[in-house]
Amino acid sequence: MVRLSGRPVSRPPRPFGYPRAPHSPPPADRGAGGGRPGVLRAAVTGRSVAGQVFVLQVVIVLLLVVSAVVAQVLQVRHDSDTEASNRSLAVAQAFANAPGTAAALRSPDPTAVLQPRAEAARKATGVDFIVVMNTDGIRYTHPQPDRIGRKFVGTIAPAVAGGTVTEHITGTIGPLVQVVVPVKDSGGQVVGLVAAGITTAHVGGAADQQLPLLLAAAAAALALATAGTALVSRRLLRQTHGLGPYEMTRMYEHHDAVLHAVREGVLIVGGDGRLLLANDEAHRLLDLPADAERRHVLELGLDDETAGLLASGRVATDEVHLVKDRLLAVNQRPTDLRGGPPGSVTTLRDSTELRALSGRAEVARERLNMLYEAGVGIGTSLDVTRTAEELAELAVPRFADFATVDLFDAVLGGEEPRPGTALRRTACAGIRKETPLYPLGERIRFVTTSPQARALTTGQSVVVPRLRDEPGWRAQDLERTGQVLAFGIHSLITVPLRAGSLVLGVANFWRAEKPQPFDAEELALAEELVARAAVSIDNARRYTREHSMAVTLQRSLLPRTLPEQGALDLAYRYLPAQSGVGGDWFDVLPLSGARVALVVGDVVGHGLHAAATMGRLRTAVHNFSSLDLPPDELLSLLDELVGRLDQDDETSVTGASVVTGATCLYAIYDPVSRLCTMARAGHPPPALVRPDGGVEFLDVPAGPPLGLGGLPFETAELELPEGSRLVLYTDGLVEDRERDIDEGLGLLRDALLRTPGASPEDTCRTVLDRLPARPSDDVALIVARTRVLGDDRVAQWQVPSDPAAVSEVRGSVTRRLADWGLDELAFTTELILSELVTNAIRYGRAPIGVRLLRERTLICEVSDRSTTSPHLRYAASTDEGGRGLFLVAQLAGRWGTRYTPNGKVIWAEQPLP
């Protein structure tokens, strides 16, 4: 027990507020051994007001300390869970939205790409795990590599649907919080999931360590509060003895002054509904009569709603009441909640100006929000029509009830607008579908008095508050404008779509449901919206123009018709990419000896550069094929050419390196031997559909893409049964952002298996039916069904290395031509073969062979083992020889030389009669 020196008080203190007795001196502290211990005992016991205050304050302090400790413990736990959830969610969302995450999920080996990133992010952020998985829950990453490939433990269905999952679970590492978020691609489709988690112990551990310190501080605070309360109670016990009537009166006067000086109305209503007190602000706000006190609140002339609230005495919090022309925020509490007298206390606050200011702030916030959404929501695609639709959809119904966009036809085609021409309604949006406005797609020519024509001419916006009073607008079409007014449309804003000095069209905003007409502030908002949309529309127009130029260039470079040949039955398709033209191409090239070359290639990139490079490569293939080169040699020449093109591009572009890069597949089919020789440079392998319906991808050695150089190309040779279908394609057919090439090849195989015995045309149609209308990359496809040149159309002989054998060859050829009904060609054929066989005997090496092919033309071929090629020359008048090849060139439609692994073949073609 605490003891202080002094004597106890000789008499109990007087009740609070009572004056001291006359001539009674105030109590004073005694000397040593006086009454101080008695004063302290009276302060700490409950027999006096000071003692009761002391006990109450100690209890309150004790409760506050205990409550603070309990609240702190609970808050620590809550904060730990919240921090774990927030950190897990932030880490999961950051990793899911990180550049490259969606692309890595579509890569052939997501684990190889994502595991290092996930571990680095986990260590950097302090979470316990970051797990990337596919939409089936199969893990691609995990802190423990042996768990990669297993099923994720947790709920993922909401995340697969595009939501977020937060779970509190107890795992192998203790209580933890894990969050699962989706990974979306650029089109908004969920391609994978990311889970992140952290144990609550790691988050709340520091706070648990502070708990002993908190308890010690609480104990110290309790001790200090107890001592302070004892001192205050002791002082109160002494000072209340000196409180007299004067001091009480002064306290009342201060209370009354404050009550009437505050800018908030105060009303005190008794339990019988009579007004006991009303300060000056309450009189002003409610316009109360001067004798309002002691009158019933229902007799004060207030509106029924406000008077009913005051009479009811119920609890009210910030209720808004319209009293005359003021909006009052009313708060009301009963006075008898804790044993007080019956009645209620009401406070009034004038919120008229605040509400008006709040309304204007809300309107400004909404308009800023619209401008922000316009910045991110208009111009999402490089399509003129879609951009106009985005403007109309954004404006309805938040700004206007109906919105229309009219553009010049030239703008829709990518050209600069031509003033004076008609406009086309490109976009239309409204709160109702059926309207009397011009329909979508209508060509409109506005009269000069209309607001739209004025906006197009002056380049300035026009606002028409009341359409009914606008004769210039009504002159556009009296019948239609009458229907518009009858429909309820009453106000219009017309804003020109300006991009620099060009006026692309007009945007019209119509109001019908809202009774207020458009004003100047709304005009400024409309101009800002249209200004942002005009930039996007002009960008889309420029892209459309460049895209059209690139498409025109590419179409001019691709083959328009296939050449005539008899070795293959052909069908082809070409689909441009969704984002623009690319560098895919194909070709069919007739070769000597009734053979046909098939070419499919792909230049890296899109646009004019890729299309121009494709044209150069296609021209080079045409030139190289005329040399009758094997596929591997032709690709080697193309590889060297692409390397030179890359070097030219690097030197012509300042500060940047433009590497073209290309892939190519070159195949030669011989209808006589049924052999197909092919080679590829970084290109997907061709597919073969056999006559029995079986499908296989041919094992053609994969050479490097064109332009890398340094590595040779290899050829593959295989014999194709008659009626086989050879399918050549570019990678756009089997690979895109949604799937890898292995899945695409599987889909192509399935499509080809569904076409047994189908024609090349039907095969093309079946294969392309599974593709989207506009694929993400160019697609070139050729389907070639093989034909065979039968023995009845082929004749061949071996010729001895003796000039006398030439006559025997001529006789055999004449007889065979007679059997074929080609007697008309006997003379020229004998002459051609005589010259070619004589040259082979004289300058070549045995064995010497002669072959006749009856195809679309009559083909004569003479082969020998020499690699020396004859050259055409003009013999002088004094020369005895040197005119043989000249005669052959004059008599034959075409002639030439091709080299074989064993020598060469000199051939000549004659058209059939």
Side-chain angles (χ1 to χ4, degrees), residues 337-355:
L337 293 178
R338 295 180 177 84
S344 61
V345 176
T346 306
T347 61
L348 309 172
R349 185 175 65 255
D350 190 355
S351 61
T352 305
E353 296 180 359
L354 180 62
R355 181 59 59 92

Side-chain angles (χ1 to χ4, degrees), residues 405-423:
V405 180
D406 306 323
L407 300 176
F408 289 102
D409 281 334
V411 174
L412 297 174
E415 303 298 329
E416 292 189 358
R418 293 188 291 273
T421 60
L423 287 84

Side-chain angles (χ1 to χ4, degrees), residues 410-435:
V411 174
L412 297 174
E415 303 298 329
E416 292 189 358
R418 293 188 291 273
T421 60
L423 287 84
R424 188 175 298 276
R425 180 133 297 174
T426 308
C428 183
I431 57 176
R432 295 192 293 272
K433 292 184 178 180
E434 300 297 332
T435 65

Side-chain angles (χ1 to χ4, degrees), residues 51 65 157 381 476 566 596 615 626 639 740 806 881:
V65 170
S381 66
Q476 175 70 31
V596 176
S626 64
D639 180 62
D740 57 19
V806 176

Side-chain angles (χ1 to χ4, degrees), residues 695-769:
V695 178
E696 63 177 306
F697 290 98
L698 300 180
D699 186 14
V700 181
L706 299 176
L708 297 183
L711 294 175
F713 297 97
E714 300 180 49
T715 60
E717 187 175 75
L718 64 155
E719 185 176 331
L720 303 181
E722 184 178 5
S724 301
R725 282 171 289 164
L726 192 63
V727 181
L728 281 67
Y729 53 90
T730 56
D731 60 353
L733 182 69
V734 295
E735 186 177 16
D736 60 17
R737 302 185 186 95
E738 305 298 329
R739 60 174 183 268
D740 57 19
I741 189 170
D742 292 333
E743 183 182 355
L745 291 175
L747 294 175
L748 176 59
R749 181 193 298 272
D750 294 340
L752 294 175
L753 286 173
R754 292 196 297 267
T755 61
S759 65
E761 189 68 30
D762 293 337
T763 303
C764 286
R765 187 180 305 110
T766 302
V767 169
L768 294 183
D769 281 346

Side-chain angles (χ1 to χ4, degrees), residues 5 23 27 139 165 409 470 479 488-489 607 620 625 738 764 805 874 907:
S5 61
H23 309 291
R139 300 179 178 129
V165 180
D409 281 334
E470 180 66 21
E479 180 180 358
I489 297 177
S625 66
E738 305 298 329
C764 286
Y874 292 94
W907 55 270

